């Protein structure tokens, strides 16, 4: 072991070996266009671990003792870009049409549970956006269809007997910690308008902290989308700007898994630059006012 002052250069064969390991572990696909990024992050990790040989580092990664370093490397390879209210047209489709329809059907069946999964949630802006939309959606629904009993005061964000669970998951522990903390700077708040800031955030110094009641609607947890054991019985899955880092075979496998993780008639939302076209027969596209979602359909066997 030695401290590498000059960055170690890697051969094509070494990078291919690492690519294969990363793909096997988390589904992320590094083609030629992203090889430079892979090389850069690999150099950083070697420097951090004070190693100057690819093979000793690779041996560490595949060893039992190297599990922690493997997850650190994967964290370094993820792109965590996110924002509140990202893809407004799609969220409007969710807010104004899909959520209302789901609440109506559930209420008719006297099923008062709603499960939403933000898969690849990054630092929490997506699941907290979903929590604000669901809280507003429930309030507006009961404004039009009052409940037959007095609501407790102060009014809870989730009116009884409803039970709302928003699961926020990611493969990176550092983004999960940031999400759990739920404190955001002015730049990160740019897309949050004043009415949302007033109702759902407290000002802490220069930053904004998610209010306790909203925080309680969201539960952060580690899930690697590459594995088979994923959270079941969801009404809605948001997996946006994650699949774009996977190749087509992995996207196909993931969409199959999502179909199994959704309740009948449930919805899947993917990113603006992502599509299920040609990947599956198990979903039908719903498109309205520039917003797109995919509804699970029962496929005849
Ligand atoms: C670009 S961010 C998208 C965040 C958010 N969904 C949005 O659209 O704003 C992609 C996230 O997916 C996560 N991710 C990548 N591969 C994953 C995997 N195999 N399992 C779980 N999360 C993964 C990354 O850690 C990252 O936080």
């Amino acid at each position: 072991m030695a401290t590498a002052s000059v960055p170690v250069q890697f051969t094509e064969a070494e990078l291919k070996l690492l690519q294969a390991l990363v793909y096997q572990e988390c589904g992320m696909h590094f083609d030629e266009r992203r090889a430079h990024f892979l090389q850069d992050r690999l150099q950083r990790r070697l420097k951090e671990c004070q190693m100057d040989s690819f093979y000793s580092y690779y041996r560490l990664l595949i060893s039992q003792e190297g599990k922690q370093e493997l997850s650190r490397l994967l964290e370094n390879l993820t792109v965590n870009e996110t924002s509140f209210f990202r893809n407004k047209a799609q969220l409007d489709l969710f807010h104004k049409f899909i959520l209302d329809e789901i609440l109506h059907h559930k209420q008719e069946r006297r099923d008062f549970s709603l499960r939403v999964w933000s898969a690849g949630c990054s630092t929490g802006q997506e699941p907290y956006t979903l929590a604000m939309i669901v809280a507003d959606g429930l309030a507006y629904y009961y404004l039009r269809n009052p409940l037959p009993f007095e609501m407790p005061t102060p009014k809870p964000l989730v009116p009884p007997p409803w039970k709302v669970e928003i699961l926020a998951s990611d493969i990176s522990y550092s983004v999960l910690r940031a999400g759990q903390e739920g404190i955001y700077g002015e730049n990160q708040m740019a897309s949050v308008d004043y009415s949302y800031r007033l109702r759902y955030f407290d000002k802490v110094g220069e930053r904004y902290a998610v209010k306790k009641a909203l925080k309680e609607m969201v539960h952060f947890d580690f899930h690697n989308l590459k594995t088979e054991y994923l959270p079941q019985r969801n009404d809605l899955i948001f997996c946006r700007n994650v699949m774009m880092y996977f190749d087509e075979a992995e996207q196909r496998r993931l969409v199959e898994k999502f179909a199994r993780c959704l309740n009948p008639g449930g919805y899947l939302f993917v990113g603006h630059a992502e599509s299920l076209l040609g990947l599956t027969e198990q979903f039908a596209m719903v498109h309205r006012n520039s917003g797109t979602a995919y509804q699970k359909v029962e496929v005849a066997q």
Side-chain angles (χ1 to χ4, degrees):
M1 251 188 231
T3 311
S5 48
V6 180
V8 186
Q9 295 302 317
F10 309 106
T11 65
E12 209 173 301
E14 288 168 344
L15 286 177
K16 281 229 154 65
L17 204 55
L18 191 75
Q19 255 169 21
L21 178 67
V22 170
Y23 182 70
Q24 177 199 309
E25 288 298 320
C26 74
M28 274 193 289
H29 175 61
F30 285 87
D31 56 15
E32 298 76 54
R33 284 169 303 150
R34 300 186 70 220
H36 186 74
F37 178 72
L38 182 66
Q39 176 152 330
D40 176 72
R41 298 304 155 104
L42 180 57
Q43 272 163 350
R44 275 198 214 176
R45 288 313 309 153
L46 255 83
K47 191 165 178 220
E48 195 75 22
C49 297
Q50 304 195 331
M51 286 185 167
D52 56 9
S53 134
F54 172 82
Y55 286 101
S56 356
Y57 183 66
Y58 185 79
R59 267 196 302 275
L60 172 70
L61 291 179
I62 57 174
S63 70
Q64 201 51 38
E65 313 80 76
K67 290 263 173 266
Q68 207 180 355
E69 177 51 31
L70 180 59
S71 74
R72 244 182 237 141
L73 172 73
L74 296 183
E75 287 206 4
N76 272 262
L77 292 174
T78 57
V79 175
N80 306 121
E81 188 190 325
T82 187
S83 55
F84 284 105
F85 295 95
R86 188 174 193 179
N87 192 348
K88 187 77 174 49
Q90 187 185 49
L91 294 175
D92 281 347
L93 167 67
F94 166 52
H95 195 169
K96 296 187 184 140
F97 301 103
I98 294 176
L99 180 61
D100 215 55
E101 174 204 288
I102 292 180
L103 295 180
H104 178 71
H105 284 142
K106 288 212 168 220
Q107 160 117 347
E108 268 187 346
R109 295 200 311 269
R110 309 204 60 70
D111 166 8
F112 293 101
S113 70
L114 183 71
R115 272 174 71 88
V116 185
W117 177 21
S118 164
C121 63
S122 189
T123 39
Q125 287 90 328
E126 180 176 88
Y128 288 129
T129 297
L130 299 175
M132 290 187 265
I133 291 177
V134 170
D136 280 8
L138 277 165
Y140 187 50
Y141 185 83
Y142 285 106
L143 186 71
R144 287 167 295 148
N145 311 283
L147 285 163
F149 53 82
E150 275 289 305
M151 191 77 83
T153 44
K155 267 191 196 163
L157 286 188
V158 177
W162 278 91
K163 190 166 177 270
V164 175
E165 290 171 79
I166 298 176
L167 169 66
S169 74
D170 206 281
I171 198 178
S172 156
Y173 287 103
S174 58
V175 297
L176 287 170
R177 278 194 297 275
Q180 238 152 10
E181 197 188 17
I183 300 180
Y184 301 96
E186 194 63 62
N187 285 347
Q188 292 166 300
M189 293 292 287
S191 49
V192 184
D193 74 26
Y194 284 92
S195 96
Y196 282 108
R197 290 187 195 204
L198 284 171
R199 286 176 297 141
Y200 296 117
F201 293 85
D202 291 316
K203 193 86 194 286
V204 181
E206 292 299 301
R207 302 198 294 162
Y208 290 83
V210 177
K211 274 193 198 285
K212 186 165 173 273
L214 194 77
K215 240 179 165 182
E216 281 171 358
M217 290 175 69
V218 182
H219 170 73
F220 287 88
D221 206 353
F222 177 95
H223 283 286
N224 180 353
L225 294 171
K226 176 79 183 187
T227 65
E228 289 304 319
Y229 302 101
L230 294 174
Q232 300 290 308
R233 292 190 300 280
N234 299 283
D235 297 299
L236 301 144
I237 298 177
F238 287 77
C239 183
R240 305 189 305 165
N241 309 298
V242 180
M243 275 190 348
M244 62 202 273
Y245 301 105
F246 297 179
D247 69 352
E248 197 178 311
E250 200 51 52
Q251 291 182 2
R252 213 179 278 279
R253 279 193 286 273
L254 183 58
V255 169
E256 295 274 319
K257 288 189 267 184
F258 281 153
R260 292 197 291 275
C261 292
L262 276 170
N263 288 333
Y267 287 86
L268 172 62
F269 296 77
V270 298
H272 191 58
E274 298 162 338
S275 159
L276 299 200
L277 203 73
L279 285 185
T280 175
E281 306 264 284
Q282 291 181 283
F283 288 89
M285 188 166 102
V286 182
H287 187 77
R288 225 164 160 155
N289 302 336
S290 314
T292 303
Y294 294 89
Q295 184 171 28
K296 179 174 157 180
V297 289
E298 292 315 312
V299 183
Q301 295 298 310

